[in-house]
Amino acid sequence: MTVLAPQLNLIAGEHSPAASGLTLDVLDPSDGSPLTTLPRSDARDVDAAVAAARGAFRGAWGRCTATERGRVLSRLAALILQHHAELAELESRDTGKPIAQARVDINACARYFEYYGGAADKLHGESIPYAAGSTVIAMRVPHGVTGHIIPWNYPAQIFGRTVGGALAAGNACVVKPAEDACLTPLRISALALEAGLPPGALNVVCGLGAEAGAALAGHPGINHLSFTGSPGTGTAVSQAAAVNHVPVTLELGGKSPQLLFADADLEAALPVVVNAIVQNAGQTCAAGSRVLIERSIYPQVVARLVERFAALTTGRGLDGPDCGPLISRRQLHRVQEKVATAGSLGAQVLAQGRLRDDAPAGGFWFPPMLMGNVDPASALAQEEVFGPVLAAFAFDGEDEAAELANATPYGLTAAVWTRDGGRALRLAQRIEAGQVFVNNYGAGGGIELPFGGMKHSGHGREKAFEGLRSFTTIKTIAIQHG
Ligand code: NAD
């Protein structure tokens, strides 16, 4: 495959290398070969990006009306769709994900800008009854300069989700995308200039988390920080932001359960259960990584899952497999290690998909795996694997189902599969998760649905109008007029 041109930061509307002149190598996850390079930015580049954002916020972007902001975002959505094929191929090569999934992701990215473009002038504050002879207005105003630190698993989608909401609300943004995959955020930011976004309203600074990321998280010039990534980094980022009293939205990991009751429509449920862990090779915050099965149907469901897992293909994203490679050699080793540890504690591999014959050598391959006999207290049951590994458990009755569902530190998403409406609602209320799906599952999808975690899955919400509100604060104006 062709090597792409070296990538550059976008600061104040100009494409530029890192101040240090250093670069980072980006590898193609399907064969480990060089794909491109990124600027290895540091605090100097972050300073320049924050200054550019402040300038835009005080200048051309800050002066735009909500309707004008909305129009820019709507034009960007249209441009993303015009470049759909190019962007989907870029996303697939950069992340390794199957091209069909990358196409879905680019559509979702366009939808975020379309949704938030339409919403920009529909967000408003309220008036509050107060003392006689007074009028009080609680206005929704942008924070100012917002920082956005995003991961490598859904670069286009998460970029659209967080930047779309922030720009619609009138903020100017500084984005630190992930070093393993960030080509679509860079390309879409260039399209944003074409769409008429004033220079400096959106800046992208590439680099390592410990360098550019840490500089952004601890920058005194930002007014809000949105972080999507692992819980450990989320803690570090929160601590850095706390020094400057900067509010933080944390979108962290999950260990999401799929609850299958004996009365469930298995024809509908099983393909969704499989897809929820195979999608993006399990590298999805909302991956359905645990399937909890009512004991009476456990043998039958496991047999059907074994059949499905054994038939799954793994290969290069552009060749259209069920599952692509993992993002990096490091991630592959992490997943292999977690599975080996689980095996040493008695967990059994019930089935694993196969590597396609045409899968290039040197790719970071881990075909989807189904595991049984997993101790609910073990790491495999408790921690994110962030690979295509589904752990199966049996339960008896609603109470045990709810206990098992809630028995991890996470609380991001869950699904309940049953034909009993009362049970579905009882469990939806008992399960500690930011989203509970009944008889369906939308891992990561749903632009219109508020999204975010409970417990160690984070706090704050993105997506939907709730996400737009997160990118504003309230200014109260109290007028005594007699
Ligand atoms: P990560 O935490 O390693 O990295 C995320 C981002 O943080 C990257 O851009 C990285 O460069 C940056 N970073 C790393 N160290 C930093 C530091 N000290 N200061 C500032 N920034 C730093 O996560 P990852 O491995 O890229 O992504 C996988 C994780 O993200 C998983 O835990 C997954 O569940 C989570 N995730 C959550 C959501 C969600 O919406 N809830 C979505 C996708 C991924």
Side-chain angles (χ1 to χ4, degrees):
M1 294 293 285
T2 50
V3 176
L4 303 173
Q7 306 293 305
L8 296 169
N9 289 334
L10 178 66
I11 300 177
E14 301 289 334
H15 296 282
S16 51
S20 65
L22 298 174
T23 58
L24 297 166
D25 291 330
V26 181
L27 303 183
D28 182 334
S30 32
D31 59 10
S33 67
L35 182 57
T36 183
T37 61
L38 299 177
R40 182 171 170 174
S41 312
D42 59 27
R44 288 169 289 177
D45 306 284
V46 172
D47 279 345
V50 172
R54 182 65 60 195
F57 182 68
R58 290 195 177 133
W61 184 236
R63 283 194 296 272
C64 281
T65 63
T67 305
E68 287 165 345
R69 292 197 304 270
R71 284 188 182 138
V72 170
L73 298 189
S74 300
R75 282 198 294 272
L76 176 54
L79 277 174
I80 293 169
L81 291 177
Q82 272 171 33
H83 290 79
H84 186 271
E86 170 207 340
L87 288 166
E89 184 175 329
L90 199 58
E91 187 80 333
S92 175
R93 288 191 68 188
D94 198 16
T95 62
K97 67 182 65 181
I99 184 71
Q101 169 73 55
R103 290 188 186 115
V104 170
D105 288 5
I106 301 304
N107 278 335
C109 179
R111 271 289 291 142
Y112 279 114
F113 288 108
E114 191 176 58
Y115 180 90
Y116 285 121
D121 58 5
K122 290 155 198 81
L123 179 74
H124 48 73
E126 36 188 36
S127 67
I128 300 171
Y130 186 53
S134 74
T135 297
V136 177
I137 308 162
M139 290 177 70
R140 285 214 167 259
V141 295
H143 291 287
V145 174
T146 49
H148 305 259
I149 300 178
I150 62 180
W152 43 261
N153 55 350
Y154 289 85
Q157 278 216 44
I158 295 173
F159 176 79
R161 168 178 108 189
T162 185
V163 163
L167 288 174
N171 301 280
C173 306
V174 178
V175 182
K176 207 306 273 175
E179 49 272 42
D180 285 317
C182 67
L183 302 186
T184 51
L186 286 166
R187 181 73 184 105
I188 294 165
S189 302
L191 292 177
L193 294 176
E194 260 182 61
L197 194 71
L202 172 60
N203 307 276
V204 186
V205 182
C206 302
L208 296 173
E211 297 172 359
L216 183 58
H219 202 288
I222 59 167
N223 306 111
H224 180 275
L225 188 68
S226 160
F227 172 78
T228 304
S230 59
T233 310
T235 304
V237 158
S238 298
Q239 286 169 339
V243 172
N244 300 307
H245 307 292
V246 168
V248 182
T249 296
L250 289 182
E251 298 281 3
L252 308 176
K255 194 72 194 174
S256 298
Q258 302 262 339
L259 282 62
L260 281 179
F261 283 86
D263 66 350
D265 176 353
L266 294 181
E267 294 307 316
L270 294 185
V272 178
V273 167
V274 172
N275 186 54
I277 187 67
V278 173
Q279 179 179 320
N280 208 28
Q283 303 164 120
T284 303
C285 53
S289 51
R290 295 183 295 149
V291 58
L292 317 184
I293 308 165
E294 195 160 22
R295 199 173 301 279
S296 61
I297 56 164
Y298 184 87
Q300 171 204 347
V301 168
V302 164
R304 290 173 70 171
L305 287 175
V306 163
E307 222 173 274
R308 284 178 179 270
F309 268 74
L312 291 168
T313 59
T314 297
R316 204 170 67 121
L318 291 178
D319 295 334
D322 296 311
C323 183
L326 298 181
I327 188 70
S328 61
R329 186 161 285 116
R330 194 172 62 137
Q331 188 65 16
L332 175 62
H333 289 159
R334 271 191 208 149
V335 172
Q336 287 169 333
E337 206 179 291
K338 287 196 187 245
V339 166
T341 308
S344 70
L345 294 172
Q348 287 168 350
V349 177
L350 302 176
Q352 188 165 22
R354 66 176 183 83
L355 193 59
R356 284 167 52 136
D357 295 339
D358 59 0
F364 311 132
W365 307 119
F366 191 93
M369 181 181 273
L370 175 66
M371 296 193 89
N373 203 31
V374 180
D375 177 353
S378 68
L380 187 71
Q382 293 288 318
E383 295 171 10
E384 263 188 317
V385 173
F386 231 53
V389 181
L390 177 61
F393 303 84
F395 68 81
D396 291 300
E398 270 178 53
D399 285 342
E400 197 186 357
E403 269 165 40
L404 264 178
N406 290 336
T408 79
Y410 293 106
L412 192 58
T413 51
V416 182
W417 296 87
T418 176
R419 286 191 170 97
D420 179 335
R423 169 193 285 151
L425 291 176
R426 282 191 296 279
L427 281 161
Q429 292 195 7
R430 285 178 74 175
I431 291 173
E432 298 155 351
Q435 287 188 333
V436 180
F437 293 89
V438 175
N439 294 331
N440 73 107
Y441 192 66
I447 281 96
E448 308 82 356
L449 313 182
F451 180 72
M454 294 181 177
K455 305 195 289 188
H456 288 203
S457 291
H459 52 75
R461 294 291 177 266
E462 289 195 344
K463 302 189 179 182
F465 253 73
E466 205 54 40
L468 194 54
R469 289 188 198 101
S470 300
F471 288 111
T472 65
T473 189
I474 299 284
K475 176 184 278 186
T476 307
I477 302 178
I479 308 152
Q480 189 65 41
H481 42 67

